[in-house]
């Protein structure tokens, strides 16, 4: 697995900044390997610039980039393509982390370039994210691996259509988890806990449960059975939370479908 450098990151918002943080933790990309384009660079982009990255360099140096990461809003990618065209190397690999924009669409704007689509979680910022990968060519897929494998568990798809589903499950998934924690905190306060106790218990429970799921490799049903004794408090809660036909399963299915449908429409 190799990664051609320098790297040009276009867009250093929430996801772009998470990628930069992941580079620091994983150590496979140094600030001096980076060029960053962003109209309103945030703290992470500024920190990279202080450590040697080129922040908003002139177009005549963009051609040095061997790998380009497109991390702008999907609605604005056409304008970005117009700016980049004619200013980047013909053999530069393009990696899009934009939801909904297909490699065919990108290929029309960036003809001849290896193009990959990746949907990472913002957890790449910790060096332990998840990233769904699709490459329109072997060279594109290799470039995507080089960027994300050191800082994420990668899942590779041979059918690009599945990237929209992966976006709905994984790319958007952290927000579902945070929403659940928020709801659990609210429930704790409604049950009489103080704000700080509800916060600590809800967040600590999520973290410890996720660690157990990760370290044991057991299926969720098996772990549920270890907590939910017959006739006990957990079973009483699950009878409400997972009520057939109107419980958590149905709500999550509907939520993922809404996200998948939106992903398809963004291109």
């Amino acid at each position: 697995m190799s990664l051609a450098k320098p790297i040009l990151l276009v867009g250093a918002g929430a996801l772009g900044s998470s990628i930069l943080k992941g580079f620091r933790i994983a150590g496979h990309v140094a600030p001096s390997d980076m060029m960053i384009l962003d109209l309103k660079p945030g703290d992470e982009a500024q920190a990279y610039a202080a450590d040697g990255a080129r922040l908003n360099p002139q177009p005549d140096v963009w051609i040095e980039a061997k790998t380009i990461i497109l991390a702008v809003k999907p609605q604005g990618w056409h304008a970005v393509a117009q700016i980049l065209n004619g200013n980047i190397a013909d053999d530069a690999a393009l990696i899009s982390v934009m939801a909904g924009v297909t490699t065919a669409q990108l290929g029309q704007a960036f003809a001849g370039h290896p193009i990959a689509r990746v949907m990472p979680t913002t957890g790449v910022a910790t060096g332990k994210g998840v990233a769904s990968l699709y490459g329109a060519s072997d060279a594109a897929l290799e470039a995507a691996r080089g960027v994300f494998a050191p800082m994420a568990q990668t899942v590779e798809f041979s059918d690009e259509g599945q990237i929209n589903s992966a976006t709905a499950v994984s790319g958007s998934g952290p927000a579902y988890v945070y929403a659940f924690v928020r709801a659990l905190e609210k429930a704790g306060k409604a049950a009489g806990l103080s704000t700080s106790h509800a916060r600590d218990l809800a967040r600590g429970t999520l973290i410890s449960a996720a660690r157990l799921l990760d370290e044991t490799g057991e299926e969720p049903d098996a772990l549920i059975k270890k907590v939910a004794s017959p006739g006990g408090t957990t079973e009483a809660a699950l009878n409400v939370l997972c009520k057939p036909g109107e419980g958590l399963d149905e709500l999550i299915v509907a939520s993922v479908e809404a996200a998948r449908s939106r992903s398809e429409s963004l291109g």
Side-chain angles (χ1 to χ4, degrees):
M1 182 176 60
S2 60
L3 176 56
K5 305 168 186 174
I7 297 171
L8 174 62
L9 174 65
V10 186
L15 185 51
S17 292
S18 293
I19 291 170
L20 290 174
K21 290 176 181 177
F23 285 163
R24 280 194 186 275
I25 289 176
H28 62 303
V29 179
S32 58
D33 295 324
M34 293 296 305
M35 291 183 276
I36 303 169
L37 300 181
D38 195 278
L39 293 175
K40 297 179 180 179
D43 292 344
E44 195 62 33
Q46 297 282 6
Y48 258 71
D51 290 339
R54 287 176 279 181
L55 180 59
N56 292 324
Q58 293 300 307
D60 60 347
V61 302
W62 301 351
I63 199 167
E64 297 175 21
K66 301 301 182 185
T67 302
I68 299 170
I69 303 172
L70 300 177
V72 297
K73 298 292 186 184
Q75 298 89 338
W77 81 269
H78 290 94
V80 170
Q82 291 179 344
I83 294 170
L84 291 178
N85 269 325
N87 292 309
I88 58 176
D90 293 339
D91 60 347
L94 273 82
I95 301 171
S96 167
V97 297
M98 302 179 295
V101 184
T102 68
T103 56
Q105 291 171 305
L106 291 166
Q108 291 178 350
F110 299 102
H113 289 271
I115 298 174
R117 282 181 68 186
V118 178
M119 182 45 60
T121 63
T122 51
V124 295
T126 68
K128 295 182 179 180
V130 180
S132 303
L133 279 57
Y134 170 79
S137 65
D138 290 343
L141 188 58
E142 182 66 15
R145 289 189 194 115
V147 169
F148 288 98
M151 57 185 182
Q153 175 185 342
T154 59
V155 178
E156 297 181 8
F157 292 94
S158 57
D159 177 3
E160 183 175 1
Q162 291 187 317
I163 288 290
N164 291 322
S165 298
T167 298
V169 171
S170 179
S172 301
Y176 313 157
V177 177
Y178 304 145
F180 179 82
V181 174
R182 180 184 63 196
L184 192 56
E185 288 182 17
K186 289 181 179 179
K189 289 189 287 184
L193 295 175
S194 68
T195 298
S196 62
H197 287 164
R199 179 184 187 277
D200 291 347
L201 288 170
R203 298 182 186 205
T205 297
L206 169 70
I207 293 167
S208 63
R211 184 174 293 123
L212 194 62
L213 184 67
D214 180 42
E215 292 181 357
T216 66
E218 292 189 65
E219 293 299 317
D221 281 343
L223 292 171
I224 289 171
K225 288 180 180 179
K226 291 181 177 180
V227 181
S229 302
T233 59
T234 306
E235 184 178 75
L238 291 174
N239 286 340
V240 176
L241 186 64
C242 302
K243 187 176 181 179
E246 54 182 283
L248 183 63
D249 287 358
E250 290 77 15
L251 187 60
I252 293 298
V253 167
S255 300
V256 167
E257 176 54 27
R260 187 197 64 78
S261 178
R262 179 58 178 157
S263 179
E264 287 184 344
S265 72
L266 284 174

